[in-house]
């Protein structure tokens, strides 16, 4: 018999980590580390998974590397005697609060505002382990118990709610979350760099109330300290009261917020008055991480596993990403309904080849790894190592998207560095195959750059992606078929999808593969009318798709689409845009996704007759129940 570490084994012998290999979640674990106090206590709405895809682990490990003692309280009970909030006592420096990897309201409710029955970030998928708006609930509990200890909020929920925002679930414009959460400060976006600065300054004796200048933070300030108007370094937004009274003012604000979020240097300081006494100050973002900085974050000593406290329980979100590798942060696609650029910026920060390969080796050493890496990707899978050729042009750019309405002439879309990574990961011992599970921007890989070598490499990328990195089904996101809707979404024409489908079909036929292309589509997006959905149904039927990856547009804070949904106005043009907002309007659009389901046919036929489009009835249901189009009307057919 070979020894466990013998190369003859499929997997190297791996010793499972002990509780002391994780950040402590209990006083007993803290004491096992020989500590009698902690510097920072992090409260998270998610279960604690010690993995670089889970923010609490990233922040905790980052502070740990700086020499601070960090404890994590995952999913604290906010409904009992609050013992979870008290068990570590006062930290020496501050409390950190995050709702988790998702906005809690998206986590809890569907697009129809119905309560979900599960939670992917909770052991066993159990729902009800976090409140609505945990950022507010956790922060206020901590301030009630420990009024003199700084509370710093972060994560996607706080980040996207840093200024006045439309809340779909309450159907009203809400002020900055700092108006409701008694936190001392918000860190928005990627938190490593601002958090290190704050921790060091607190450690040096500085007061949290004096830190109004830290980049990528949001603080409450006296209203009388706001500049009188725009300066070289700042923009004064329309006040919260003015935005409530005039939706156009809210739309005007969004344009400034998005443009400054996407500036290469981090943009200008933003101010918004809350009331007669208080105002919000949003300090500029840090520039995108350097390769050394992002490597340092991903190279931290994660166990890559859920904490042992969850033994025997499955955490669905972890199961989805346990064998995946994230290669970069940031996205320059600028989709109107997406928050990535508002949170991570549009400038991509890519890891080094060394860092990625080292993580891949760790994945292959996991005890239940079977040889398949589920995803070599990122926010958009194929933006690795890409950006502007001439950085001086990027420094002046205010475009929210490098791909819309057309790819920027300055954009380098060379996929060769990505192919090199694929080849080197696939060559590792123990790796049978790597898949690309993240969304692929086919418009990026198919764009003709004008450089013959790059265009040749990009064609090779598309072919290799389809041949070697698809697990039977390749998911892509055309989102719609109507050009005017796609333009509002900041997505390419559906013609681009057709071209990619031609490539997909050709490569499959050439290699004797039987793979499926699975497109994502959205209904009820601003600008989309019922007739657009009917045309989408006809288009996708003609392409032989029975749609399954579909969703009704859900307005989320701080996206262009949400601002249009709420205000009815395009922030960049001032144009009024139709949006389906009532449940009836939204359901009327959504049904067209399921034209192939007999249960929907009568209602779809009735709707198309109301829309005076019997021609579409004939295209969707040729010969259905013996009816045909005759002189523009649906007539009983004499044919059997």
């Amino acid at each position: 018999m070979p020894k466990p570490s013998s190369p003859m084994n499929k997997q190297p012998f791996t010793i499972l980590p002990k509780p002391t290999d994780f950040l402590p979640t209990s006083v007993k674990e803290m004491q096992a580390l020989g500590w009698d106090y902690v510097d920072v206590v992090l409260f998270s709405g998610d279960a604690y998974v010690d993995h670089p895809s889970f923010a609490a682990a990233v922040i905790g490990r980052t502070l740990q590397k700086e020499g601070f003692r960090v404890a994590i309280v995952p999913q604290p009970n906010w409904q009992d005697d609050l013992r979870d909030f008290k068990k570590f006592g006062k930290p020496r420096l501050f409390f950190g609060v995050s709702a988790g990897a998702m906005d809690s309201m998206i986590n809890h409710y569907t697009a129809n505002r119905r309560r979900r029955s599960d939670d992917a970030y909770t052991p066993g998928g159990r729902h009800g382990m976090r409140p609505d708006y945990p950022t507010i609930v956790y922060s206020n509990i901590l301030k009630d118990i420990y009024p003199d200890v700084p509370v710093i909020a972060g994560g996607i929920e706080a980040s996207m709610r840093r200024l006045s925002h439309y809340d779909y679930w309450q159907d009203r414009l809400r002020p900055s979350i700092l108006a409701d959460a008694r936190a001392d400060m918000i860190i928005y976006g990627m938190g490593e760099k601002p958090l290190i600065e704050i921790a060091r300054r607190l450690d040096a004796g500085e007061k949290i109330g004096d830190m109004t200048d830290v980049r990528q933070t949001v603080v409450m300030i006296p209203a009388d300290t706001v500049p009188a108007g725009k300066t070289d370094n700042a923009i004064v937004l329309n006040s919260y009261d003015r935005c409530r009274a005039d939706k156009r003012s809210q739309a005007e604000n969004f344009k400034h917020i998005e443009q400054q979020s996407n500036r290469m240097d981090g943009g200008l300081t933003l101010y918004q008055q809350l009331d007669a006494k208080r105002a919000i100050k949003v300090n500029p973002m840090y520039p995108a991480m350097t390769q050394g900085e992002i490597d340092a974050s991903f190279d931290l000593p994660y166990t890559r596993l859920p904490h042992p406290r969850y033994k025997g329980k499955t955490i669905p979100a972890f199961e989805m990403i346990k064998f995946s590798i994230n290669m970069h942060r940031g996205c320059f696609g600028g989709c109107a309904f997406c928050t990535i650029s508002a949170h991570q910026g549009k400038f991509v920060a890519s890891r080094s080849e060394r860092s990625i390969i080292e993580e891949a080796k760790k994945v292959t050493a996991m005890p239940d790894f079977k040889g398949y890496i589920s995803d070599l990707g990122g926010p958009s899978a194929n933006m690795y190592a890409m950006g502007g050729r001439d950085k001086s042009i990027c420094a002046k750019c205010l475009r929210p998207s490098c791909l819309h309405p057309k790819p920027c002439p300055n954009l380098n879309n060379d996929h060769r560095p990505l192919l090199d990574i694929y080849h080197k990961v696939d060559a590792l011992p123990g790796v049978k195959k790597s898949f690309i599970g993240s969304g692929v921007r086919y418009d990026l890989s198919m764009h003709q750059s004008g450089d013959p070598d790059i265009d040749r490499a990009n064609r090779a990328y598309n072919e290799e992606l389809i041949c070697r990195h698809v697990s039977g089904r390749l998911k892509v996101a055309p989102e719609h078929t109507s050009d005017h809707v796609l333009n509002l979404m900041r997505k390419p024409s559906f013609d681009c999808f057709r071209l990619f489908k031609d490539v997909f079909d050709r490569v499959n036929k050439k290699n004797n593969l039987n793979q499926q292309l699975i497109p994502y589509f959205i209904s009820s997006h601003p600008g989309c009318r019922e007739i657009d959905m009917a045309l989408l149904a006809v288009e996708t039927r003609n392409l032989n798709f029975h749609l399954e990856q579909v969703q009704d547009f859900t307005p989320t804070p701080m996206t262009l689409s949400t601002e249009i949904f709420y205000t009815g106005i395009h922030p960049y043009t001032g144009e009024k845009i139709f949006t389906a907002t009532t449940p009836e309007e939204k359901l009327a659009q959504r049904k067209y996704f399921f034209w192939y389901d007999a249960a929907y046919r009568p209602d779809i036929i009735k709707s198309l007759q109301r829309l005076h489009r019997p021609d579409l009835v004939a295209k969707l249901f040729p010969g259905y129940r013996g009816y045909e189009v005759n002189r523009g009307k649906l007539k009983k057919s004499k044919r059997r």
Side-chain angles (χ1 to χ4, degrees), residues 185-194 213-218 282-287 343:
M185 179 184 289
I186 291 170
I187 291 175
Y188 69 96
M190 300 290 95
E192 295 103 317
K193 293 172 77 170
D213 61 338
V214 180
R215 272 184 173 259
Q216 223 163 293
T217 63
V218 185
V282 180
N283 290 305
M285 269 188 157
Y286 277 98
H343 193 65

Side-chain angles (χ1 to χ4, degrees), residues 259-279:
Q259 286 181 334
Q260 299 310 312
S261 305
N262 284 316
R263 291 278 294 272
M264 188 174 181
D265 63 358
L268 305 178
T269 301
L270 301 177
Y271 294 90
Q272 184 179 37
Q273 191 163 333
L274 278 177
D275 51 38
K277 294 183 178 180
R278 302 175 301 164

